Amino acid sequence: MDERTRLIRSATRRPEARRPVNPPIERGTTLLNRRAADLRDENLGPVYGIDGASVHVELRQRLAEMEGAADTFVVSTGLVAVSLALLALVSSGDEVLISDASYWPSRRLLQRTMKRLGVTFRAHHPRATPDEIAALFTDRTRVLLMESPGTATFEMQDVPDLVARCRDAGVHSVVDNTWAAGLLFKPLAHGADISVQALSKYVSGHSDVFGGAISCGSAAMARRLHELIEDLGLYVSPDDAWLMLRGLRTLPVRLAQHEANARHVADWLRARPEVSEVLWPALASSPDHALWQRDFTGAASLMGVVLNDGDTRSAEAMLDTLELFGLGFSWGGYESLATCEDAQLAARSRPPQMAGPLIRLHIGLENPDDLIADLTRGLAAYRSAKTG
Ligand SMILES: *Cc1c(COP(=O)(O)O)cnc(C)c1O
């Protein structure tokens, strides 16, 4: 069955009695029992509201089906999903390997809280080969955290190859699958232990709710995550789960339009003299194109744009001129967004050398020709800020 159908079919299953298409929002801490003896009967389903209601169950099942997971857990943000995946796997004395292009709050977690817990990390070059990464493994290495493509600079990683090397070396493999939204790439099918994603992005799709998903490749891994979530007492409101589920049903059709719009804008940007490089693996000119084509079934609409010459100030003059692109963090909603990434690059272990400032664009669902008209104004402002 096609994925678009799979995400929707459960909504129309024949009901016992008339019911709305979507599960209800059930708010509740206490779950009432018929008889006192039922209080200790585990077979009657969840005993406490914290275990979630029908909307949580439906959301988790659809996400697990999409990621090919033994089980998927839904948590309050994408960063919580990354944190829990790591916390479930490491102990004091362990080391985590990340890419220098990892989502920077994931790195901050390792720099601060994980350090306090006795867990160290090393960041490798975003273009390190599987050979070079495997050469970093020591007997303390517990987790390889992958992100493909990487944050801000969009380098692809050879996840299937890296997962195989992790398995050989007894290292756990975790993939931050947010760019692919769990739809365009399937890390668990390649044997990864855990795939996480920020549901706040494309799955929710409307810039109105935070959420994260932790998809586990095996039942044993799912038990580990379940225990951690239970121990920490984590919970997601049914209202938030409901919004995430609503977004999920239309994810494939939205992503297809995002990709088409992004391709239109990327092709135009590439031909502009103010643009040095468009960092988007779906472009045939990208050094990452072959890996993307081999492993992914489509592209998200988040890309980097390296401008020629100029500096952060001239890039900000460009952003200030844009009328259709919102200026703000996060992405994956229906709206186009732009940010300047220079400050984030400077925080890396080895800040990359670029021809000029790095802009990040999220291409939304507007008519892409209108976005191009907006960017034309923006690039004119960039030119005058650069010379003036
Ligand atoms: C946004 C993002 C996250 C975190 O998601 P939040 O819901 O904002 O916490 C994690 N990883 C990547 C790659 C992201 O882009």
Side-chain angles (χ1 to χ4, degrees):
M1 199 180 286
D2 185 88
E3 200 135 41
R4 284 170 297 185
T5 313
R6 275 202 289 162
L7 283 170
I8 290 172
R9 66 162 175 176
S10 62
T12 52
R13 69 185 178 273
R14 296 289 179 273
E16 299 293 318
R18 281 194 193 127
R19 61 163 176 86
V21 171
N22 297 301
I25 294 176
E26 300 155 289
R27 294 193 194 87
T29 50
T30 298
L31 301 177
L32 295 174
N33 293 268
R34 273 182 58 231
R35 300 173 308 138
D38 291 351
L39 283 162
R40 51 187 165 75
D41 188 344
E42 303 262 323
N43 298 319
L44 294 174
V47 294
Y48 196 34
I50 207 161
D51 295 320
S54 48
V55 66
H56 300 90
V57 172
E58 175 67 9
L59 176 61
R60 289 176 57 186
Q61 283 179 353
R62 297 290 74 74
L63 288 168
E65 201 169 62
M66 180 168 77
E67 292 262 10
D71 203 352
T72 295
F73 300 93
V74 173
V75 293
S76 57
T77 71
L79 185 55
V80 166
V82 176
S83 308
L84 293 179
L86 295 180
L87 264 179
L89 297 174
V90 297
S91 305
S92 176
D94 289 345
E95 180 189 63
V96 177
L97 295 179
I98 63 169
S99 159
D100 216 8
S102 293
Y103 179 63
W104 70 267
S106 305
R107 184 195 192 103
R108 187 179 60 192
L109 161 77
L110 290 158
Q111 275 170 342
R112 298 197 303 211
T113 301
M114 286 292 190
K115 184 178 175 204
R116 191 165 50 74
L117 299 177
V119 176
T120 59
F121 81 99
R122 276 184 291 166
H124 60 76
H125 191 280
R127 292 212 178 283
T129 63
D131 273 341
E132 288 164 344
I133 293 172
L136 298 173
F137 292 171
T138 68
D139 49 8
R140 294 182 47 230
T141 309
R142 192 67 51 226
V143 179
L144 176 66
L145 175 62
M146 290 166 270
E147 198 180 311
S148 183
T151 283
T153 40
F154 301 93
E155 300 89 350
M156 297 287 299
Q157 294 188 286
D158 191 336
V159 173
D161 191 340
L162 286 166
V163 163
R165 286 161 193 268
C166 283
R167 180 139 6 85
D168 290 346
V171 172
H172 289 300
S173 49
V174 178
V175 179
D176 185 330
N177 201 24
T178 300
W179 193 82
L183 185 80
L184 309 174
F185 179 52
K186 313 285 183 182
L188 301 181
H190 297 288
D193 291 317
I194 296 179
S195 170
V196 297
Q197 69 153 315
L199 301 172
S200 328
K201 309 282 171 52
Y202 286 112
V203 166
S204 297
H206 295 78
S207 307
D208 53 6
V209 63
F210 278 103
I214 309 166
S215 296
C216 301
S218 70
M221 189 58 72
R223 269 194 301 279
R224 259 163 111 144
L225 262 303
H226 177 72
E227 284 175 6
L228 182 61
I229 286 167
E230 223 172 30
D231 287 348
L232 295 176
L234 302 180
Y235 180 67
V236 169
S237 84
D239 309 65
D240 289 354
W242 197 93
L243 284 173
M244 291 181 241
L245 179 62
R246 180 163 72 169
L248 182 60
R249 307 285 193 190
T250 59
L251 175 67
V253 66
R254 283 185 291 108
L255 264 180
Q257 192 62 50
H258 277 292
E259 175 174 354
N261 288 5
R263 189 171 293 284
H264 193 67
V265 173
D267 284 341
W268 178 82
L269 280 168
R270 239 162 52 76
R272 292 290 308 206
E274 301 88 347
V275 173
S276 164
E277 209 184 336
V278 177
L279 311 178
W280 195 54
L283 285 174
S285 59
S286 162
D288 299 294
H289 190 66
L291 273 183
W292 172 79
Q293 205 162 35
R294 188 193 70 187
D295 294 342
F296 282 54
T297 55
S301 65
L302 188 76
M303 63 180 70
V305 183
V306 184
L307 299 175
N308 271 319
D309 315 316
D311 55 12
T312 304
R313 241 181 230 276
S314 30
E316 285 174 349
M318 169 186 172
L319 298 194
D320 283 337
T321 313
L322 299 176
E323 289 171 11
L324 297 181
F325 285 80
L327 307 182
F329 294 108
S330 201
W331 40 277
Y334 51 85
E335 79 286 14
S336 289
L337 294 170
T339 55
C340 180
E341 299 289 312
D342 290 354
Q344 280 196 36
L345 293 187
R348 292 190 181 178
S349 311
R350 296 170 220 80
Q353 292 305 306
M354 303 232 159
L358 174 62
I359 302 286
R360 187 186 78 179
L361 296 181
H362 174 255
I363 305 302
L365 300 175
E366 303 90 342
N367 183 322
D369 288 324
D370 291 333
L371 298 177
I372 285 174
D374 204 25
L375 289 167
T376 305
R377 284 189 291 275
L379 289 175
Y382 178 71
R383 277 197 311 274
S384 20
K386 212 160 47 116
T387 53

